[in-house]
Amino acid sequence: MAYQAQVQEEFEESSEILLKNFLQPEKFKMVNDALRETDIEWVRRGPPNKRCYGQAEEAGLPQCVRECWELLSSEPFFLLLSNFTGLKLHFLASGSEEEEEEEKMEADITDEEMARRYESLVDSMKKKFAKKRDRSAIANEDVNSNAKEPKVKKTFLKPQD
């Protein structure tokens, strides 16, 4: 458990973890050699200027590489990573206490609070999607609702002959 706490602390500080000696040395050497020495057909993916990587079909990989891939993509491995990092990468992973409190608070919203949030959302959407000619009217409504004295509407009089 002390190792897990150390890894969690390291992850919190640097947003990354290094699991030293995670794979057995002989297994690591086997996978490394298999990836370097075999005739794996790599297909280039992604744009050439960034995020360019090679991808191989799983069926064309050596047995030791497939076994390693199965380990690294397995549910127990994701559960282990969830426990190490505190991220919810697996449905069985326990979330942090803060996340659980937030979820509880979200579930405990009163009807009045929900109505207020909905009204605020509707007003925001109304402002966002209003046509240009309507935006000035909405802006005036906001100013008028915040003002204490009603503004006198100025009108132009038609000149008389």
Side-chain angles (χ1 to χ4, degrees):
M1 201 58 149
Y3 182 72
Q4 182 175 342
Q6 179 185 358
V7 171
Q8 283 177 343
E9 183 179 320
E10 182 181 327
F11 182 74
E12 287 175 10
E13 290 175 5
S14 62
S15 296
E16 65 181 18
I17 55 175
L18 174 63
L19 302 175
K20 297 176 184 173
N21 301 321
F22 181 73
L23 297 175
Q24 297 172 350
E26 58 275 355
K27 295 283 187 180
F28 174 77
K29 183 172 178 9
M30 259 178 34
V31 170
N32 192 22
D33 292 342
L35 287 172
R36 292 178 188 271
E37 295 175 1
T38 59
D39 295 327
I40 299 173
E41 292 183 35
W42 296 98
V43 179
R44 294 180 71 69
R45 300 279 188 217
N49 59 343
K50 61 180 177 179
R51 295 191 185 109
C52 184
Y53 60 93
Q55 181 180 10
E57 291 294 324
E58 190 175 342
L61 296 174
Q63 182 64 27
C64 62
V65 175
R66 275 187 292 206
E67 289 172 359
C68 183
W69 176 254
E70 287 173 10
L71 168 72
L72 297 177
S73 61
S74 67
E75 288 196 26
F77 186 74
F78 277 94
L79 184 57
L80 176 71
L81 287 178
S82 295
N83 292 336
F84 277 166
T85 61
L87 300 174
K88 191 156 178 125
L89 302 173
H90 192 272
F91 68 95
L92 292 177
S94 61
S96 67
E97 291 177 13
E98 293 173 2
E99 289 176 1
E100 290 174 7
E101 287 178 20
E102 286 178 16
E103 289 174 6
K104 190 173 185 180
M105 290 293 287
E106 288 175 6
D108 293 342
I109 294 176
T110 63
D111 290 341
E112 293 84 17
E113 177 69 16
M114 186 61 77
R116 188 180 61 75
R117 288 183 182 185
Y118 179 75
E119 182 181 357
S120 174
L121 174 67
V122 169
D123 288 343
S124 297
M125 297 301 289
K126 179 180 172 184
K127 289 176 186 177
K128 179 161 181 72
F129 292 106
K131 294 182 180 176
K132 283 187 177 182
R133 65 177 178 265
D134 297 334
R135 287 184 186 159
S136 62
I138 292 171
N140 288 339
E141 286 177 13
D142 288 345
V143 170
N144 289 339
S145 66
N146 293 335
K148 293 181 181 176
E149 296 180 18
K151 288 189 175 183
V152 177
K153 191 174 185 180
K154 296 181 181 180
T155 58
F156 291 99
L157 300 175
K158 183 178 177 182
Q160 296 180 356
D161 292 335

